[in-house]
Amino acid sequence: MLSVAVVGASGYAGAELCRIFSAHNEVCLKHLYVSENSLDKNKKISDLYGSLRGRCDLVLEPMSDPKSLIGEVDAVFLATDHKVSHDVAPVLTASGIAVFDLSGAFRISDLNVFAEAYGFEHEYPELLASAVYALPEFVDLKALRATKMISLPGCYPTASQLALRPLIDSGLLDLNYRPSINAVSGVSGAGRKAKLTNSFCEVSLNAYGVFTHRHQPEIAEHLGTEVIFTPHLGDFKRGIHATINAKLKDNVTAEQVKKAFAVYDNKPLVRVKEGMPKLMDVQYLPYCDIGYAMKDGYIVVCSCIDNLLKGASAQAVQVFNLYYGFDELKGLFG
Amino acid sequence: MLSVAVVGASGYAGAELCRIFSAHNEVCLKHLYVSENSLDKNKKISDLYGSLRGRCDLVLEPMSDPKSLIGEVDAVFLATDHKVSHDVAPVLTASGIAVFDLSGAFRISDLNVFAEAYGFEHEYPELLASAVYALPEFVDLKALRATKMISLPGCYPTASQLALRPLIDSGLLDLNYRPSINAVSGVSGAGRKAKLTNSFCEVSLNAYGVFTHRHQPEIAEHLGTEVIFTPHLGDFKRGIHATINAKLKDNVTAEQVKKAFAVYDNKPLVRVKEGMPKLMDVQYLPYCDIGYAMKDGYIVVCSCIDNLLKGASAQAVQVFNLYYGFDELKGLFG
Amino acid sequence: MLSVAVVGASGYAGAELCRIFSAHNEVCLKHLYVSENSLDKNKKISDLYGSLRGRCDLVLEPMSDPKSLIGEVDAVFLATDHKVSHDVAPVLTASGIAVFDLSGAFRISDLNVFAEAYGFEHEYPELLASAVYALPEFVDLKALRATKMISLPGCYPTASQLALRPLIDSGLLDLNYRPSINAVSGVSGAGRKAKLTNSFCEVSLNAYGVFTHRHQPEIAEHLGTEVIFTPHLGDFKRGIHATINAKLKDNVTAEQVKKAFAVYDNKPLVRVKEGMPKLMDVQYLPYCDIGYAMKDGYIVVCSCIDNLLKGASAQAVQVFNLYYGFDELKGLFG
Amino acid sequence: MLSVAVVGASGYAGAELCRIFSAHNEVCLKHLYVSENSLDKNKKISDLYGSLRGRCDLVLEPMSDPKSLIGEVDAVFLATDHKVSHDVAPVLTASGIAVFDLSGAFRISDLNVFAEAYGFEHEYPELLASAVYALPEFVDLKALRATKMISLPGCYPTASQLALRPLIDSGLLDLNYRPSINAVSGVSGAGRKAKLTNSFCEVSLNAYGVFTHRHQPEIAEHLGTEVIFTPHLGDFKRGIHATINAKLKDNVTAEQVKKAFAVYDNKPLVRVKEGMPKLMDVQYLPYCDIGYAMKDGYIVVCSCIDNLLKGASAQAVQVFNLYYGFDELKGLFG
């Protein structure tokens, strides 16, 4: 039985972690933290999320000093703002706590790229260098288990990489044609905040952050190639649908493409299907569904995830399960 | 050609007034005002509402002193907070400007009821006494045209009264059975504000303000009978659907009920239909649709309006048209 | 380990049963049946419901003769049309199979009322008399376990009875004031069918079946009192939100009402809350959430369920668990 | 005053034509036709579309023989299936009636491409050759007014061409990089039909018709270049949002791109904006909104239309207005 804390528990990803751990029989969820000046502190998580009532009724504690966690827990999930993760993670890892970071603080290895994308200088380059970027279907298990600093991929990067990596790893793409990723996210991706742009009456399908979104360099680094990445806000609560246009090398066959995607044959959370995937098939579920079509040397790949699950919390627990050697799916369908 | 200003133009009802007046050939919309500390001031209304671009591109001016409107305009529409209307209206009416108030500041005649519902004491009881509550299908035109202080009904009260008044005025209801009004409103009814409760991911069908909503005393006063009023927030942007349960007096016939609703036969914006009305038939339109069914001495009446149109701005202009003797529908379908 | 079959598996309730049983470790789901002329036969359930891929990939078999189930399974869930349940159930119960019927075929005990509501004469009055109507929070466990014919409540009747029974059973209501139930259902309540009225562009909040819906007599019989029941179609996929207006007897106190609802204190799937419930808190979950407010001798009670779960499949498995003595919640959160 | 008939009036585009003509003071809408075996025949259009009640209450007549229209009307709008338009248009044009065809029957000039896209051989190549493809912002007015056979662009092709033509016409694109068009359409694009795929509970963001949609060759022909076109179904009723990825020629400047889009400066229905467009700004309106961003030699262009208006009926009437020399916007905001 492992003791676990969630920092930033009042956000949407935090709440999903609470739900998952309520069904995970190897974990004792000991503490939920919010920032010390949060209005939510001292409330129960189930006061914020009525759906959790009876399943997780822990109180949201204000966190002043991460050191208070030392000796208390084996692992900490950071569902926090990038800067908070950046500041807190070193304290925790230094004392032997495994950190599962859902923020972007440890996803980009180039310090200049990081600074431009996140708006502040990274102060812990050594910890950053030791961090393992854990897309679970591709992560090196040995390296994963050798670190305390686990960086989870972003939501868009998860959908993008799961769709593109089989093709790139198999050398099937003509990368002179820069792949384009057009992805639509549900509003929960913007977090649980009172903002006019998230207000019900203001939400309507539109592109945003074109050429400027911080997930672009993350995708580019981990795919090893430049991409045009265009995120959109859609008028639904949960999920990401990504449509990717790419060019195949000359004479690539359907058989070769099929074989490339067979990399997922023994991966329980990636479902490659005939035809194109549908967002609702993965909403509230930890899967990534993938479909594709090809013609005239071009390929269109579509992938769907629940941004809060395969794109955040379920993936974090999937990695946690792999890290500690539990069944990869434990808790994920609870 | 009348000169008109809108105060509180940046809200949803204000924007609809701009749209309507852009199609109203007897009106010159001269000024749009927002509060002096609004972040929207000095922006164009079409910067806030892209749909208006090319149709209304007026700048939102900060309003410091309502006296600046004297001599400038013939009529002012107040799409403001109740307290602002309460403070501004006396200045305007005193100088002969016709005030069309979309707030609740002049809807309730009993000062105690008002104070309890709105949380402040009414300071202008004489102006309040001279105000005409202008539900256009029932308003006394002579009285309307004799005042400068026109108070427009609230959104829920419009849907409720249009459904119930024909039955009550015809004496068909057994009011010992207190009628219940269950109404669902789109989120725009909560205004254009950054609030967590209006956030896309937080909205989901629920009742609110049960037994405490300030539209209850408004409905009760103008119907002349107590009602149980339960408002709900629905997950759509615009519209109100009201379902009303009431008891008929003994031996009331279908023919009598039909005759009661015939009061709308020459009212162009109320459509009584066979079967039950559907919200989408009135969204973005200035109509109120009504249907009903009766059995065992009980009657269920449903009414639908667009809360921003028949429930606010279109009705305000309908009343404005009646006030000045224009075609009742002028501008409403622009 | 019990062997189970689902008849009518291709519908929305059937698919939810498949999902639940995929997480129920005391059940072997052996057969899924559809009608012999269904276009879905010989497809996998996961071809129809992509969300089930990897969790339930059973083939939909055409069912010609219910006798083929004898000796094959211990229990059968009928997620079928009323007439099919009516015809099939006697064959199954006669051979000792426990039948959990989600249709309306065995919910109403009065044969005349049944015929009027369902449009055909009931041919098995003896079986009907032996059927147990199993609202799990109120069912007599001894009687339940003594029958083979278990009739599950309808979706609207579940939401309605859970909200009203504590008040009626405690004698707190003045039933001379006929309670009104105004309920809004998601579109899945209309079934998985190609109908213009269910078409995405045609759905918009509206009342239907006013005074004529077959759930009215079901509610009235099992509450033991007449009600005005008005169902509505809402523009969401899943869930029912019911708002109920009723009159309290003179001098009933808040304390008495609270005590009445304390009947649910040890019922894990009914959550009575302060304030009003929100539909999203129960969507995709097996709960019923209840809230209420009272004033001037009247009470408004709101209840929320997922129509496919507490209103259908999860409740059916909850009853199944009680019937066989399993943990009441087994499988329900899978 | 021109006399006009609509064939296929019961569909969504047909209903929008009725609405527009009810506000068009140069048109007398004389007949609405549906196919002779339609269940809707002899109903009023406002029985199908409650929103039209009081504005257009014409009866839907069954059409057996298009010749019956000769001498009756000046112009006919075909909001029909491709094959019906193909069969009916020659009869009408032969007798001097101007035909505004909203179907795809006369959009593709290559007979082989047509046959592959539409599944039947075109039997009227001469009429096809004389047809004018009327994207109003680019159409040659003289040519338009010289024909009787006006072919209106499809919904996706309208959004696509309005976004791409300024760049292509100005020679700014490196077309060795095949542009990709990723477009999401509301469900009304699929027509008013009882189909399971359009059923409310089945709709969820997904790509369809990848590499096979018949709008691909239409776009390619009229842009004069190949494109990758991926349509998606979105869970909203109305509108198309298109996101286009393309490569600029070396050293193309922001100034040049801006100048290219200045082609719309005097086009009242195309609004080029800073930042990216939002679908809701064009829903229920006849506009096309366009925004773009560029970096590293690539450009992303987004365009939004209401698929039933700028993508169908409003554009058809815009062309009709140009054809007859009326104000281009007449009726479009009614």
Side-chain angles (χ1 to χ4, degrees):
Chain A
M1 200 74 160
L2 293 164
S3 290
V4 164
V6 174
V7 184
S10 64
Y12 294 130
E16 288 297 324
L17 287 170
C18 294
R19 180 185 65 77
I20 292 169
F21 284 132
S22 76
H24 193 299
N25 60 12
E26 297 284 354
V27 164
C28 170
L29 187 56
K30 286 190 75 169
H31 295 289
L32 303 182
Y33 293 104
V34 293
S35 72
E36 214 174 6
N37 49 10
S38 165
L39 294 172
D40 296 325
K41 71 179 173 189
N42 301 324
K43 290 185 185 166
K44 290 183 194 166
I45 183 71
S46 51
D47 291 334
L48 276 62
Y49 296 90
S51 64
L52 288 174
R53 206 140 64 98
R55 290 192 292 166
C56 183
D57 295 296
L58 288 174
V59 168
L60 296 165
E61 307 171 47
M63 190 172 76
S64 49
D65 186 353
K67 283 180 189 147
S68 64
L69 282 165
I70 300 171
E72 275 282 296
V73 296
D74 302 289
V76 170
F77 286 73
L78 300 178
T80 43
D81 180 69
H82 316 291
K83 189 65 173 61
V84 174
S85 283
H86 168 272
D87 294 349
V88 164
V91 181
L92 299 172
T93 54
S95 63
I97 294 174
V99 171
F100 296 83
D101 181 18
L102 285 81
S103 89
F106 294 87
R107 290 177 188 157
I108 291 178
S109 61
D110 184 299
L111 294 173
N112 292 324
V113 174
F114 178 87
E116 199 189 322
Y118 287 90
F120 62 92
E121 300 290 326
H122 208 296
E123 296 174 27
Y124 306 101
E126 282 184 43
L127 185 59
L128 179 57
S130 80
V132 171
Y133 182 83
L135 184 64
E137 282 72 19
F138 292 95
V139 75
D140 180 321
L141 269 186
K142 211 166 156 185
L144 173 68
R145 289 169 178 161
T147 189
K148 292 289 176 196
M149 185 66 236
I150 299 104
S151 177
L152 281 316
C155 51
Y156 288 122
T158 295
S160 302
Q161 293 174 71
L162 290 174
L164 271 170
R165 272 204 61 165
L167 297 171
I168 291 176
D169 288 2
S170 305
L172 301 183
L173 293 190
D174 172 0
L175 293 170
N176 291 318
Y177 184 97
R178 188 174 288 195
S180 67
I181 300 166
N182 297 273
V184 187
S185 172
V187 185
S188 60
R192 182 172 168 275
K193 287 168 203 154
K195 289 198 297 186
L196 192 57
T197 50
N198 294 353
S199 177
F200 193 91
C201 294
E202 301 296 318
V203 170
S204 178
L205 187 53
N206 67 292
Y208 68 95
V210 184
F211 289 122
T212 65
H213 196 282
R214 55 171 63 112
H215 283 174
Q216 196 278 340
E218 179 184 341
I219 298 168
E221 171 174 341
H222 295 285
L223 283 180
T225 190
E226 278 303 314
V227 295
I228 306 171
F229 169 60
T230 304
H232 301 70
L233 185 70
D235 42 2
F236 46 91
K237 292 184 177 176
R238 294 172 68 141
I240 287 180
H241 181 290
T243 302
I244 294 162
N245 300 279
K247 193 171 190 303
L248 296 165
K249 284 184 182 158
D250 287 351
N251 304 318
V252 166
T253 64
E255 198 51 43
Q256 286 174 287
V257 171
K258 192 177 174 184
K259 201 175 153 193
F261 281 109
V263 68
Y264 296 126
D265 280 356
N266 63 345
K267 300 296 179 188
L269 293 182
V270 179
R271 302 185 294 194
V272 181
K273 60 172 287 179
E274 281 187 51
M276 289 300 176
K278 213 167 168 174
L279 193 57
M280 68 186 221
D281 287 346
V282 301
Q283 283 171 323
Y284 302 94
L285 288 170
Y287 294 107
C288 176
D289 279 5
I290 294 176
Y292 61 88
M294 49 193 287
K295 191 179 171 189
D296 295 348
Y298 292 90
I299 187 165
V300 171
V301 189
C302 291
S303 62
C304 291
I305 60 171
D306 185 309
N307 59 314
L308 297 179
L309 296 180
K310 186 61 179 164
S313 300
Q315 181 152 279
V317 178
Q318 182 189 8
V319 170
F320 170 91
N321 287 335
L322 292 171
Y323 186 82
Y324 287 106
F326 303 135
D327 174 353
E328 188 172 351
L329 305 184
K330 193 177 278 292
L332 301 190
F333 291 94
Chain B
M1 200 75 162
L2 293 164
S3 290
V4 163
V6 174
V7 183
S10 64
Y12 293 130
E16 287 298 324
L17 287 170
C18 294
R19 181 185 65 77
I20 292 169
F21 284 133
S22 78
H24 193 299
N25 60 13
E26 297 283 356
V27 164
C28 171
L29 187 56
K30 285 189 76 169
H31 295 288
L32 303 182
Y33 292 103
V34 292
S35 72
E36 213 174 6
N37 49 10
S38 165
L39 294 171
D40 296 324
K41 71 180 175 190
N42 301 324
K43 289 186 185 165
K44 291 182 195 167
I45 182 72
S46 52
D47 292 334
L48 277 62
Y49 296 89
S51 63
L52 288 174
R53 206 141 64 98
R55 291 192 290 166
C56 182
D57 296 295
L58 288 174
V59 168
L60 296 164
E61 306 170 48
M63 191 173 73
S64 49
D65 185 353
K67 282 178 188 149
S68 64
L69 282 166
I70 301 171
E72 276 282 296
V73 296
D74 301 290
V76 170
F77 286 74
L78 299 178
T80 44
D81 180 69
H82 316 293
K83 189 64 172 62
V84 175
S85 283
H86 168 272
D87 294 350
V88 164
V91 180
L92 299 172
T93 53
S95 64
I97 294 175
V99 171
F100 296 83
D101 181 18
L102 286 80
S103 88
F106 294 87
R107 290 176 187 156
I108 291 178
S109 61
D110 184 299
L111 293 173
N112 292 325
V113 174
F114 177 86
E116 198 189 323
Y118 287 89
F120 62 93
E121 301 290 326
H122 208 296
E123 297 173 26
Y124 304 102
E126 282 184 42
L127 185 59
L128 180 58
S130 81
V132 171
Y133 182 83
L135 184 65
E137 282 73 17
F138 292 95
V139 75
D140 180 322
L141 269 186
K142 210 166 158 185
L144 173 68
R145 289 170 179 162
T147 188
K148 291 289 176 194
M149 185 66 236
I150 299 106
S151 177
L152 281 317
C155 52
Y156 288 121
T158 295
S160 302
Q161 292 175 71
L162 290 174
L164 272 171
R165 271 203 63 164
L167 297 171
I168 292 176
D169 288 2
S170 305
L172 302 183
L173 293 190
D174 171 0
L175 293 170
N176 291 319
Y177 184 96
R178 189 176 289 197
S180 68
I181 300 166
N182 298 274
V184 186
S185 171
V187 185
S188 59
R192 184 173 168 272
K193 287 169 204 153
K195 289 198 297 186
L196 192 57
T197 49
N198 293 352
S199 178
F200 193 91
C201 295
E202 302 296 319
V203 171
S204 179
L205 187 54
N206 67 292
Y208 69 95
V210 184
F211 289 123
T212 64
H213 196 284
R214 56 171 62 111
H215 283 173
Q216 195 278 341
E218 180 184 340
I219 298 169
E221 171 175 342
H222 295 286
L223 282 180
T225 189
E226 279 303 313
V227 295
I228 305 171
F229 169 60
T230 305
H232 300 70
L233 185 69
D235 43 1
F236 47 90
K237 292 184 177 177
R238 293 171 67 142
I240 286 179
H241 181 289
T243 301
I244 295 162
N245 300 279
K247 193 170 192 300
L248 297 165
K249 285 183 181 159
D250 287 351
N251 305 318
V252 166
T253 64
E255 197 52 43
Q256 285 175 288
V257 171
K258 191 175 175 186
K259 201 175 154 193
F261 281 108
V263 67
Y264 295 127
D265 280 356
N266 63 344
K267 301 295 179 186
L269 292 182
V270 179
R271 302 185 294 194
V272 181
K273 60 172 288 180
E274 281 187 51
M276 288 300 176
K278 214 166 166 174
L279 193 56
M280 68 186 222
D281 287 347
V282 301
Q283 284 172 322
Y284 302 94
L285 288 171
Y287 295 107
C288 176
D289 280 4
I290 294 176
Y292 60 88
M294 50 193 286
K295 191 179 171 190
D296 294 348
Y298 291 90
I299 186 165
V300 171
V301 188
C302 291
S303 62
C304 291
I305 59 171
D306 186 309
N307 58 314
L308 298 179
L309 297 180
K310 186 62 179 164
S313 300
Q315 181 151 282
V317 179
Q318 182 189 6
V319 170
F320 170 92
N321 286 336
L322 292 171
Y323 187 82
Y324 286 109
F326 302 135
D327 174 354
E328 187 172 351
L329 304 183
K330 192 176 279 293
L332 301 191
F333 291 93
Chain C
M1 201 75 161
L2 292 164
S3 290
V4 163
V6 175
V7 183
S10 64
Y12 293 130
E16 287 298 324
L17 286 169
C18 294
R19 181 185 64 78
I20 292 169
F21 284 132
S22 78
H24 193 300
N25 60 12
E26 298 283 356
V27 164
C28 171
L29 187 56
K30 286 189 78 167
H31 295 288
L32 303 182
Y33 293 103
V34 292
S35 72
E36 213 173 8
N37 49 9
S38 164
L39 294 172
D40 296 324
K41 71 179 174 190
N42 300 324
K43 289 186 186 165
K44 290 183 194 166
I45 183 73
S46 52
D47 292 334
L48 276 62
Y49 295 89
S51 64
L52 288 174
R53 207 141 63 97
R55 291 193 289 166
C56 182
D57 296 295
L58 287 174
V59 168
L60 296 164
E61 306 170 48
M63 191 172 75
S64 49
D65 186 352
K67 283 180 187 147
S68 64
L69 282 165
I70 300 171
E72 276 281 297
V73 296
D74 302 290
V76 170
F77 285 73
L78 299 178
T80 43
D81 180 70
H82 316 293
K83 189 64 173 61
V84 174
S85 283
H86 168 272
D87 293 349
V88 164
V91 181
L92 299 172
T93 53
S95 62
I97 295 174
V99 171
F100 295 84
D101 181 19
L102 285 82
S103 88
F106 294 87
R107 289 176 188 157
I108 291 178
S109 60
D110 184 299
L111 294 173
N112 291 325
V113 174
F114 178 87
E116 198 188 323
Y118 287 90
F120 62 93
E121 300 291 326
H122 208 297
E123 296 173 27
Y124 305 101
E126 282 184 41
L127 186 59
L128 180 58
S130 80
V132 172
Y133 182 83
L135 184 65
E137 283 71 19
F138 292 95
V139 75
D140 180 321
L141 268 186
K142 210 165 158 186
L144 173 68
R145 289 170 179 161
T147 188
K148 291 290 175 192
M149 185 66 236
I150 299 105
S151 177
L152 281 315
C155 51
Y156 287 122
T158 295
S160 302
Q161 292 174 72
L162 289 174
L164 272 171
R165 271 204 61 165
L167 296 171
I168 292 175
D169 288 2
S170 305
L172 302 183
L173 293 190
D174 171 359
L175 293 170
N176 290 318
Y177 184 96
R178 188 174 289 196
S180 68
I181 301 166
N182 297 274
V184 187
S185 171
V187 185
S188 59
R192 184 173 168 273
K193 287 169 205 154
K195 289 197 298 186
L196 192 57
T197 49
N198 293 353
S199 178
F200 193 91
C201 294
E202 301 297 318
V203 171
S204 178
L205 187 53
N206 68 291
Y208 69 95
V210 184
F211 290 122
T212 64
H213 196 283
R214 55 170 64 112
H215 282 174
Q216 197 278 340
E218 179 184 341
I219 298 169
E221 169 175 342
H222 295 285
L223 282 179
T225 188
E226 279 303 313
V227 295
I228 305 171
F229 169 61
T230 305
H232 301 70
L233 185 70
D235 43 1
F236 47 90
K237 292 184 179 177
R238 293 171 68 141
I240 286 179
H241 181 291
T243 302
I244 295 162
N245 301 279
K247 192 169 191 303
L248 296 166
K249 284 184 181 159
D250 286 351
N251 305 318
V252 166
T253 65
E255 198 51 43
Q256 286 174 287
V257 171
K258 192 177 174 184
K259 201 176 154 193
F261 281 107
V263 68
Y264 295 127
D265 280 356
N266 63 344
K267 301 296 179 187
L269 293 181
V270 179
R271 303 184 296 194
V272 181
K273 61 172 287 178
E274 282 187 49
M276 288 300 176
K278 215 167 164 172
L279 193 57
M280 69 186 221
D281 287 347
V282 301
Q283 283 171 323
Y284 301 94
L285 288 171
Y287 294 108
C288 176
D289 280 5
I290 295 176
Y292 61 87
M294 49 193 286
K295 192 179 170 189
D296 294 349
Y298 292 90
I299 187 165
V300 171
V301 188
C302 291
S303 62
C304 290
I305 59 171
D306 186 311
N307 59 314
L308 297 179
L309 297 180
K310 186 62 179 163
S313 300
Q315 181 151 280
V317 178
Q318 182 188 8
V319 170
F320 170 91
N321 286 335
L322 292 171
Y323 186 83
Y324 286 108
F326 302 135
D327 174 354
E328 187 172 351
L329 304 183
K330 192 176 281 290
L332 300 191
F333 290 94
Chain D
M1 202 73 163
L2 292 163
S3 290
V4 164
V6 174
V7 184
S10 64
Y12 293 130
E16 287 297 324
L17 287 169
C18 294
R19 179 185 65 78
I20 293 169
F21 284 132
S22 77
H24 193 300
N25 61 12
E26 297 283 355
V27 164
C28 170
L29 187 55
K30 285 190 76 169
H31 295 288
L32 304 181
Y33 293 103
V34 292
S35 72
E36 214 174 6
N37 49 11
S38 165
L39 294 172
D40 297 324
K41 72 180 174 189
N42 299 325
K43 290 185 185 166
K44 291 182 194 167
I45 183 71
S46 53
D47 292 334
L48 276 62
Y49 296 89
S51 64
L52 288 174
R53 206 140 64 98
R55 290 192 291 166
C56 183
D57 296 295
L58 288 173
V59 169
L60 296 164
E61 306 170 47
M63 190 173 75
S64 49
D65 186 352
K67 283 181 188 148
S68 63
L69 282 165
I70 300 172
E72 277 281 297
V73 295
D74 302 288
V76 170
F77 285 74
L78 300 178
T80 43
D81 180 69
H82 316 292
K83 189 65 172 60
V84 174
S85 283
H86 168 272
D87 294 350
V88 163
V91 181
L92 300 172
T93 54
S95 63
I97 294 175
V99 171
F100 296 83
D101 181 19
L102 285 81
S103 88
F106 294 86
R107 290 176 188 157
I108 291 178
S109 62
D110 184 299
L111 293 173
N112 292 324
V113 174
F114 178 86
E116 199 189 321
Y118 287 89
F120 62 93
E121 301 290 327
H122 208 297
E123 295 174 27
Y124 306 100
E126 282 185 42
L127 185 59
L128 180 57
S130 81
V132 172
Y133 182 82
L135 184 65
E137 282 72 19
F138 292 95
V139 75
D140 181 321
L141 269 187
K142 212 166 154 186
L144 174 67
R145 289 170 178 162
T147 189
K148 292 290 176 194
M149 185 66 237
I150 299 106
S151 176
L152 280 317
C155 51
Y156 288 121
T158 295
S160 302
Q161 292 174 71
L162 290 175
L164 272 170
R165 273 204 62 165
L167 297 171
I168 291 175
D169 287 2
S170 304
L172 302 183
L173 293 190
D174 172 0
L175 294 169
N176 290 318
Y177 184 97
R178 187 175 289 197
S180 67
I181 300 165
N182 298 273
V184 187
S185 172
V187 185
S188 60
R192 183 172 168 275
K193 288 167 204 155
K195 288 199 297 187
L196 192 57
T197 50
N198 293 354
S199 177
F200 193 91
C201 293
E202 301 296 318
V203 171
S204 179
L205 187 53
N206 68 292
Y208 68 96
V210 184
F211 290 123
T212 64
H213 196 283
R214 55 170 64 111
H215 284 173
Q216 197 278 339
E218 179 184 342
I219 298 168
E221 170 174 342
H222 295 286
L223 283 179
T225 189
E226 279 302 313
V227 295
I228 306 172
F229 169 61
T230 304
H232 301 70
L233 185 69
D235 42 2
F236 46 90
K237 292 184 177 176
R238 293 171 68 141
I240 286 179
H241 181 289
T243 301
I244 295 162
N245 300 279
K247 194 171 190 302
L248 297 165
K249 284 185 183 159
D250 286 351
N251 304 318
V252 166
T253 64
E255 197 52 42
Q256 287 174 287
V257 171
K258 191 176 174 186
K259 202 175 151 193
F261 281 108
V263 67
Y264 296 126
D265 280 357
N266 63 344
K267 301 295 180 188
L269 292 182
V270 180
R271 302 184 295 194
V272 181
K273 60 172 288 177
E274 281 187 50
M276 288 300 176
K278 214 169 169 171
L279 193 56
M280 69 186 220
D281 287 347
V282 301
Q283 284 170 323
Y284 302 94
L285 288 171
Y287 294 107
C288 176
D289 279 5
I290 293 176
Y292 61 87
M294 50 193 287
K295 192 180 172 189
D296 295 348
Y298 292 90
I299 187 165
V300 171
V301 189
C302 291
S303 62
C304 292
I305 59 171
D306 185 310
N307 58 315
L308 298 180
L309 296 180
K310 187 61 180 164
S313 300
Q315 181 151 279
V317 178
Q318 181 188 9
V319 170
F320 169 92
N321 286 335
L322 293 171
Y323 187 83
Y324 287 107
F326 302 135
D327 174 353
E328 188 172 352
L329 305 183
K330 192 177 281 291
L332 301 191
F333 291 94

